[in-house]
């Protein structure tokens, strides 16, 4: 397998949930934000924005939503947002009416692509942060209460929160989390028709995951992969799961 | 602004749409696929897969769907897929019933997070490819005909195609595409209430974009950013835009 500094960075990524109480330099912030802007963007629409959360009170609010205390003290905190609001404002200057069916920026396809673009930008920032020796954790947990998050960040019509990203100097050294055998995740030409064949290495992978030492709970071994899947399959632990409903309130039609 | 090899790679990313007719070495493929597997995954569900498209006939089919000839001859071609099918198969081994409302892997929240995870993995692969001197283009155009794409790759229930990625040795040197002023895309603490303030630098940015030299059409300058937005806002150029409808056919409930 070939390697270089970037590949090493990507292979050694692990979520960091404890940060040193040290601010991040402005020239680092400049690099992280500029890198995010250089990710690809569907049809060059640049249809995402990011909210840089610096207000301590607001950080605490987001920590409350996520249920994760470390969100409240993360040295750098972003929420990436799918954003057709800006594009709609640009289109409005061309006398276009946002509130017609012909206006496609409100469509499910556009919502989906804006979401992708936000994630591409976030991952570029995350990768740059790791390359500088910083650590990150991606925050899906901010979506525990989408209404409250939208209110806290005052996200207008035609925006939607996608994921958060907390960044700081790592104050922990978690072990690298096991990855499933590649044959379970990469397929050639078509998706395999035989589930049993795909899941052939599952028992071994279950055992590997079970042996993984999770810093978040050092009292007991983590559950086997299969057991984790089974647990999540009946309880997402998320209060507001209906993306379509929330997206509709923000002006998107996910039909 | 601080920099290093990874940051330079991310800042110099540009879509490559012409590849040399040279195969990619297996040890490079190993690195790219392994890197993708090390991206973060929501709730550790690993809920994506990737189809490595190597069959020339299938490549031509995908080129037809995308309307882009270079898809048919890309040395490496992947389609990243949101995948709860594998997890549902794992859950089924625990005697769980996928077809109940209590089963959350079919939910809009899970669909959304699986999509994010697929994009994180894709971007990790893309970044690793660029770091090795390869070039890439992300293929949203494969979603021009979601039904046909799903059929071609035989994507089963609880999977959904997210984006494609074509990779190869670059056979063109496009100029770096301009990015909007950071003040238009990064906001502090809350989304700005005044659109006019956000769009203050737009006229300059329009001019910058208009001067950009696009290899895809060297006959004339590209449209100003505002004009591009206005054009897309009334015509996405996509035949099958309704994600919710297609996702429902695959067993997801996007409500």
């Amino acid at each position: 397998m070939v390697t270089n500094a970037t590949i090493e960075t990507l292979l050694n990524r692990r979520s960091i949930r404890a940060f040193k109480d040290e601010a991040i330099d402005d020239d680092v912030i400049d690099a992280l934000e500029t890198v995010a802007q250089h990710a690809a963007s569907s049809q060059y629409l640049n249809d995402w924005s990011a909210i840089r959360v610096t207000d301590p009170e607001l950080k605490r609010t987001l920590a409350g939503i996520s249920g994760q205390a470390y969100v409240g003290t993360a040295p750098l905190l972003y929420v990436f947002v799918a954003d057709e609001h800006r594009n709609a404002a640009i289109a409005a200057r061309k006398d276009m009416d946002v509130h017609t069916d012909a206006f496609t920026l409100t469509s499910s396809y556009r919502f989906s692509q804006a979401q992708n673009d936000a994630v591409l930008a976030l991952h570029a920032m995350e990768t740059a942060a790791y390359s500088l020796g910083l650590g990150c954790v991606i925050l899906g947990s901010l979506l525990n209460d989408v209404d409250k998050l939208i209110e806290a960040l005052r996200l207008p019509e035609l925006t939607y929160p996608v994921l958060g990203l907390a960044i700081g100097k790592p104050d922990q050294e978690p072990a690298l989390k096991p990855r499933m055998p590649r044959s379970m995740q990469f397929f050639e030409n078509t998706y395999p028709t035989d589930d049993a064949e795909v899941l052939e290495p599952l028992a071994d992978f279950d055992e590997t995951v079970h042996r993984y030492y999770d810093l978040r709970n050092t009292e007991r071994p983590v559950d086997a992969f299969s057991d984790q899947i089974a647990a999540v399959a009946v309880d997402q632990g998320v209060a507001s799961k209906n993306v379509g409903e929330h997206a509709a309130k923000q002006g998107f039609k996910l039909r």
Side-chain angles (χ1 to χ4, degrees), chain A:
Chain A
M1 199 165 98
V2 300
T3 192
N4 60 32
T6 300
I7 289 173
E8 285 305 309
T9 293
L10 291 164
L11 289 178
N12 286 303
R13 185 212 61 80
R14 61 208 78 191
S15 297
I16 298 296
R17 295 181 175 84
F19 303 110
K20 289 186 180 149
D21 184 21
E22 291 177 37
I24 306 299
D25 291 343
D26 282 348
D27 57 348
V28 170
I29 295 175
D30 285 351
L32 297 179
E33 297 187 357
T34 306
V35 156
Q37 290 197 285
H38 280 79
S41 165
S42 166
Q43 293 179 279
Y44 193 50
L45 289 187
N46 290 271
D47 45 8
W48 61 272
S49 295
I51 314 287
R52 187 193 310 115
V53 180
T54 57
D55 176 41
E57 176 75 27
L58 184 57
K59 278 190 191 178
R60 280 191 293 273
T61 301
L62 299 199
I65 293 172
S66 74
Q68 310 293 350
Y70 52 77
V71 171
T73 54
L76 255 181
L77 181 62
Y78 292 91
V79 180
F80 282 76
V81 174
D83 188 356
E84 300 295 356
H85 178 88
R86 180 178 47 239
N87 287 337
I90 291 171
R93 290 187 170 191
K94 301 268 178 194
D95 292 328
M96 302 180 83
D97 185 356
V98 178
H99 298 101
T100 64
D101 272 351
F103 192 82
T104 65
L105 298 185
T106 54
S107 71
S108 58
Y109 178 74
R110 204 60 252 155
F111 178 86
S112 184
Q113 293 304 317
Q115 178 181 337
N116 289 347
D117 289 351
V119 177
L120 293 171
L122 176 146
H123 189 267
M125 180 184 277
E126 185 202 10
T127 303
Y130 278 107
S131 79
L132 293 168
L134 300 172
C136 307
V137 58
I138 298 178
L139 303 165
S141 55
L142 289 176
L143 301 167
N144 282 349
D145 190 337
V146 172
D147 284 335
K148 202 166 171 182
L149 181 63
I150 286 172
E151 193 195 333
L153 303 177
R154 293 190 214 148
L155 299 182
E157 191 186 37
L158 298 187
T159 61
Y160 199 84
V162 176
L163 287 170
L165 183 66
I167 308 173
K169 292 178 189 162
D171 200 24
Q172 63 178 184
E173 282 188 68
L176 206 59
K177 218 159 174 180
R179 261 38 202 169
M180 61 174 59
R182 204 173 357 144
S183 66
M184 284 177 65
Q185 200 153 30
F186 276 87
F187 309 127
E188 191 136 346
N189 292 316
T190 52
Y191 198 101
T193 47
D194 184 357
D195 289 338
E197 198 184 300
V198 172
L199 298 186
E200 198 272 320
L202 179 63
D204 282 350
F205 181 55
D206 271 340
E207 185 55 32
T208 305
V209 171
H210 187 54
R211 281 196 306 266
Y212 170 75
Y213 178 82
D214 193 328
L215 289 181
R216 278 179 291 179
N217 187 350
T218 56
E219 303 292 304
R220 60 179 193 85
V222 302
D223 288 336
F225 186 70
S226 291
D227 294 325
Q228 292 189 43
I229 298 298
V232 173
V234 290
D235 180 11
Q236 285 282 291
V238 173
S240 52
K241 279 199 287 274
N242 296 336
V243 179
E245 212 177 291
H246 293 292
K249 282 196 220 170
Q250 292 295 99
F252 291 105
K253 308 164 195 126
L254 293 208
R255 60 170 181 259

